[in-house]
Amino acid sequence: MLFNIKVTAMKNIVASIAVIFSLVVMFSPPVYSQLVQFDYESAGVSMSIPGNWVKSEHILLLLMPKSEDLTLEVEVLNALDLSEAVELSAIELKSVFPQDTSFVVDDIVINKMKVKKIDKMSGDEQLIFYFFKTPEGKIVKLHCQAPKETIVKYKGDLTKIIQSIKPKQ
């Protein structure tokens, strides 16, 4: 008799967990939003942007999640090569972090394009630069500056956007 009571109690617990899980899944907003393809014509690249981000194109492209104060700026630079683009941005880095002007440049490849990456943290701020050299020879800069906790919160979205950038076909 005691065994039957334990089995019945266990079945009730499992059923309760299944019902709660189903309700959570049904009424929760999706954690990962669908990606929307965007062609950035003047840069000669396309990228995927999470559906919960807003985009606008003026002098440069601004991407920001609707609920946060986070901007990822994308622009075509008048630099001849990636090294020159990094040198030009070093001035901006020094103005943002005047007390901590050191930074590391990583050479990586994303979608067969050479990329220079700078990820700088100082105090509560984080600054991210990605410089892409497109097959057409254009230098495209992605730039994002925000409090560390905001960058960490949207790290997945930022990574998806950066990894999705590819030459427009």
Side-chain angles (χ1 to χ4, degrees), residues 40-45 47 59-61 73-90 105 107-108 112-118 129-143 165-167:
Y40 189 24
E41 297 292 337
S42 61
V45 296
M47 61 187 80
I59 295 171
L60 47 90
L61 174 72
E73 300 176 10
V74 185
E75 65 180 310
V76 179
L77 298 179
N78 288 327
L80 299 175
D81 61 21
L82 291 172
S83 296
E84 183 182 355
V86 169
E87 287 176 28
L88 292 171
S89 296
V105 179
D107 290 313
I108 59 176
K112 299 180 182 177
M113 292 183 286
K114 291 182 180 180
V115 178
K116 291 202 179 274
K117 172 189 170 190
I118 300 171
F129 284 108
Y130 282 83
F131 304 95
F132 288 77
K133 182 164 187 169
T134 69
E136 298 172 351
K138 294 181 180 180
I139 305 298
V140 178
K141 175 178 111 174
L142 277 81
H143 167 249
I165 296 175
K166 57 187 173 196

Side-chain angles (χ1 to χ4, degrees), residues 89-104 118-127 129 145 148:
S89 296
I91 297 166
E92 186 176 351
L93 267 167
K94 291 174 183 175
S95 70
V96 173
F97 303 120
Q99 304 302 320
D100 184 6
T101 59
S102 65
F103 59 91
V104 176
I118 300 171
D119 191 348
K120 174 74 176 171
M121 288 185 245
S122 184
D124 292 336
E125 286 290 305
Q126 185 168 356
L127 184 64
F129 284 108
Q145 178 185 346
K148 284 181 196 176

Side-chain angles (χ1 to χ4, degrees), residues 16-33:
S16 297
I17 291 172
V19 168
I20 291 169
F21 179 75
S22 298
L23 290 172
V24 168
V25 169
M26 284 175 36
F27 294 108
S28 296
V31 175
Y32 297 102
S33 57

